[in-house]
Amino acid sequence: MTPSWDVEKPRDDAEYFERLTKFIFSAGLNWSMIEKKWPNFRAAFAEFSPGKVAKFSPKEVKGLMNDTRIVRNEKKITATVHNAAEFVKLQKEFGSFQGYVDAFGKDDERLMTDVQERFRHLGHSTARMFLWSAGCKLTPTAEEKKWMAGHKSGK
């Protein structure tokens, strides 16, 4: 029996935005440290309300840079503000992040390219992990197929 690779889709755009942000802040860092600090991230980033975070001023960004309760990486913080604004744009154009994803149909590569161009601080691997965690049915790469085959139950 193989393990399930399915994940629960976020309920709303705030959850999509939170997952995106978590993947960005986790990249290159210890996952458990990010998990421990995550309640502080929620408070710092207005419960991941894209509309609220998109309006963060340079003064608020500077305040986050001084907040010892979160990871103080200026590039990741400013990317989060930019990405919130992108979520707001997607809501206006597609109704929701899910509407945006649905507009690509089964064209994984076009979706991946657009996500990486639209959102900041999001490389190829991080974009794939985010989309997978958001419930997108991506076609596994050869490397991913090999990894999944080696992680079947009983191995």
Side-chain angles (χ1 to χ4, degrees):
M1 174 184 224
T2 59
S4 173
W5 301 107
D6 293 332
V7 293
E8 192 173 318
K9 277 187 179 181
R11 292 183 301 256
D12 57 26
D13 282 353
E15 284 189 20
Y16 280 107
F17 178 49
E18 180 173 358
R19 285 193 195 182
L20 174 66
T21 304
K22 187 178 257 188
F23 275 103
I24 289 170
F25 274 93
S26 296
L29 298 174
N30 180 295
W31 183 264
S32 64
M33 185 259 305
I34 296 296
E35 282 295 317
K36 287 176 190 170
K37 289 181 174 259
W38 204 249
N40 302 321
F41 277 88
R42 280 194 187 107
F45 288 103
E47 300 297 320
F48 293 100
S49 165
K52 290 179 182 177
V53 176
K55 294 176 183 174
F56 278 15
S57 68
K59 183 179 178 182
E60 287 168 300
V61 169
K62 188 175 180 180
L64 291 172
M65 287 299 300
N66 293 317
D67 188 343
T68 59
R69 301 171 308 140
I70 66 169
V71 173
R72 295 169 292 163
N73 179 311
E74 188 172 11
K75 287 182 181 181
K76 291 182 179 189
I77 291 170
T78 57
T80 299
V81 175
H82 167 85
N83 294 344
E86 288 298 319
F87 265 83
V88 171
K89 288 178 191 174
L90 290 175
Q91 289 168 336
K92 288 177 183 169
E93 187 175 348
F94 299 97
S96 66
F97 184 82
Q98 187 59 54
Y100 160 72
V101 170
D102 292 345
F104 287 90
K106 295 184 182 210
D107 194 344
D108 296 5
E109 287 308 311
R110 211 172 100 239
L111 173 60
M112 283 286 299
T113 298
D114 196 76
V115 163
Q116 288 177 265
E117 289 174 358
R118 184 178 296 271
F119 297 107
R120 288 194 184 152
H121 219 287
L122 197 65
H124 183 79
S125 296
T126 306
R128 280 192 70 81
M129 289 174 58
F130 161 63
L131 290 170
W132 172 79
S133 81
C136 295
K137 302 292 184 196
L138 301 176
T139 304
T141 64
E143 184 178 328
E144 290 165 341
K145 286 178 185 176
K146 184 178 176 181
W147 183 89
M148 288 187 288
H151 287 80
K152 292 181 180 180
S153 295
K155 284 206 172 196

